[in-house]
């Protein structure tokens, strides 16, 4: 089969299984498999694929048919200005989380030198994106998952940042290293009972550890804020991602831990997405 027929076959299978964006998915899977961009696929529709590639493509389509996320199938996800390696050990980076990067860049110029801590770093996408934009920043990332830390370290090497960042396998409660000018975090904040209502792509494949916010959705947030209050320098900034209906309660928790609330920021869908605060 050639490239065109293979893509069309993939589209047909995904359409029958009611997978959103079947053409885009089929093209992305084949493009990743043969290590060519979309332009190449468009310009070479009659190129014949060998049986080995056809077999691998069929396997990828079958996995996508079962709602496995594209990012896990092609092992990468674009975030901010970079491409990050991802697998099932880390949460897939979302565009709404880029709000954190935007706000940090508004607060600090490229000439400032400071120490940044990322609590629950996952793939490292938040911390590493900030460091790429600010050459005088130095970063530390922690995660309770050792496998997540390994992904972060891999992405660090890929982006050439090994001299400015270090990662630790640690729970937020046990981490005691350093004092930081800036802390960022995207903690788990979904209620335990609400996990089952997430899209199948998310609930069946992405790590529950990175999603489960406990019975009320605030248990991990409380722990992160409590630890941040002990690790941040006076007048240091704390940029925290939150769920769409958590703003008021999170503000109260922050104030109780000695933070002044600067502002809440909405995401591209006009939902409250992060809170910026300052340690008093």
């Amino acid at each position: 089969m050639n490239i065109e027929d293979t893509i069309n076959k993939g589209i047909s299978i995904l359409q029958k299984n009611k997978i959103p964006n079947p053409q885009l998915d089929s093209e992305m899977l084949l493009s990743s498999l043969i290590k060519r961009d979309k332009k190449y696929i468009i310009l070479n529709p009659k190129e014949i694929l060998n049986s080995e590639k056809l077999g691998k493509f069929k396997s990828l389509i079958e996995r996508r048919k079962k709602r496995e996320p594209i990012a896990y199938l092609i092992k990468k996800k674009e975030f901010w200005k970079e491409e990050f390696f991802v697998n099932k050990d880390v949460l897939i980076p979302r565009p709404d989380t880029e709000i954190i990067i935007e706000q940090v860049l508004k607060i600090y110029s490229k000439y400032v030198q400071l120490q940044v801590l990322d609590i629950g770093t996952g793939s490292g996408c938040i911390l590493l994106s900030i460091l790429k934009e600010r050459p005088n920043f130095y970063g530390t990332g922690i995660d309770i998952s050792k496998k997540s830390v390994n992904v972060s370290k891999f992405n660090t090497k890929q982006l050439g940042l090994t001299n400015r960042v270090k990662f630790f396998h640690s729970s937020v409660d046990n981490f005691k290293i350093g004092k930081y000018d800036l802390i960022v975090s995207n903690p788990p904040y979904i209620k335990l009972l609400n996990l089952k209502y997430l899209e199948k792509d998310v609930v069946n494949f992405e790590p529950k550890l990175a999603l489960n916010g406990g019975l009320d959705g605030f248990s991990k947030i409380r722990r992160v804020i409590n630890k941040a209050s002990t690790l941040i320098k006076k007048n240091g900034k704390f940029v925290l991602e939150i769920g769409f209906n958590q703003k008021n309660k999170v503000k109260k928790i922050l104030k109780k831990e000695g933070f002044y609330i600067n502002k809440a920021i909405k995401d591209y869908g006009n939902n409250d997405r992060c809170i910026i605060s300052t340690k008093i």
Side-chain angles (χ1 to χ4, degrees), residues 26-265:
S26 186
E27 289 174 347
M28 287 181 68
L29 290 175
L30 185 60
S31 176
S32 175
L33 179 63
I34 66 175
K35 295 180 172 55
R36 300 285 188 173
D37 60 18
K38 187 174 180 179
K39 182 180 178 181
Y40 182 90
I41 287 175
I42 293 172
L43 294 176
N44 298 274
K46 302 305 178 183
E47 180 179 313
I48 300 298
L49 300 172
N50 61 39
S51 58
E52 181 184 0
K53 284 187 170 59
L54 290 172
K56 289 180 178 179
F57 180 76
K58 181 180 179 182
S59 176
L60 289 172
I61 287 292
E62 287 298 309
R63 288 168 65 185
R64 181 62 187 135
K65 186 175 79 172
K66 296 174 182 177
R67 302 300 293 260
E68 186 170 345
I70 283 286
Y72 290 155
L73 294 175
I74 65 176
K75 302 295 184 184
K76 61 184 178 181
K77 179 67 176 178
E78 289 184 2
F79 179 84
W80 195 245
K81 298 177 182 178
E82 304 296 337
E83 196 170 77
F84 290 86
F85 170 79
V86 294
N87 60 21
K88 292 181 182 180
D89 298 319
V90 297
L91 201 67
I92 298 171
R94 265 71 171 179
D96 286 332
T97 299
E98 294 180 351
I99 298 295
I100 293 178
I101 318 300
E102 289 181 1
Q103 295 306 310
V104 168
L105 299 186
K106 287 179 181 179
I107 296 170
Y108 300 102
S109 78
K110 63 181 179 180
Y111 304 106
V112 176
Q113 182 172 327
L114 52 76
Q115 295 286 338
V116 189
L117 173 66
D118 182 8
I119 300 176
T121 193
S123 65
C125 65
I126 296 174
L127 180 60
L128 298 175
S129 295
I130 292 171
L131 295 185
K132 287 291 283 188
E133 293 281 2
R134 293 293 182 261
N136 295 317
F137 284 19
Y138 291 82
T140 300
I142 65 170
D143 202 290
I144 195 171
S145 165
K146 187 174 183 179
K147 291 181 178 179
S148 290
V149 170
N150 290 337
V151 173
S152 295
K153 289 180 177 179
F154 179 84
N155 282 321
T156 301
K157 290 179 181 178
Q158 294 295 104
L159 296 175
L161 291 169
T162 52
N163 63 325
R164 286 200 287 130
V165 65
K166 49 193 174 184
F167 292 97
F168 295 93
H169 171 220
S170 173
S171 70
V172 64
D173 304 304
N174 294 331
F175 188 73
K176 299 176 182 179
I177 300 172
K179 283 284 187 177
Y180 301 90
D181 305 282
L182 167 66
I183 297 179
V184 295
S185 183
N186 177 17
Y189 52 69
I190 299 172
K191 287 183 180 180
L192 177 61
L193 293 177
N194 288 345
L195 290 177
K196 61 184 177 182
Y197 299 113
L198 298 175
E199 293 182 0
K200 291 181 180 179
D201 305 51
V202 178
V203 71
N204 290 342
F205 294 96
E206 298 199 53
K208 299 292 192 303
L209 193 62
L211 296 167
N212 183 3
L215 292 177
D216 63 354
F218 292 94
S219 64
K220 305 292 177 60
I221 289 176
R222 289 189 190 94
R223 289 167 59 192
V224 167
I225 293 175
N226 176 263
K227 178 55 68 170
S229 71
T230 69
L231 293 172
I232 198 165
K233 296 177 183 178
K234 185 177 180 180
N235 297 320
K237 288 287 190 292
F238 182 25
V239 184
L240 176 69
E241 181 164 335
I242 60 171
F244 73 95
N245 61 350
Q246 295 180 324
K247 179 179 70 174
N248 293 333
K249 188 162 184 176
V250 172
K251 281 184 175 181
K252 290 179 181 178
I253 300 170
L254 283 164
K255 289 177 181 177
K256 186 177 179 181
E257 293 289 351
F259 288 93
Y260 169 79
I261 309 300
N262 296 103
K263 57 183 175 179
I265 306 296

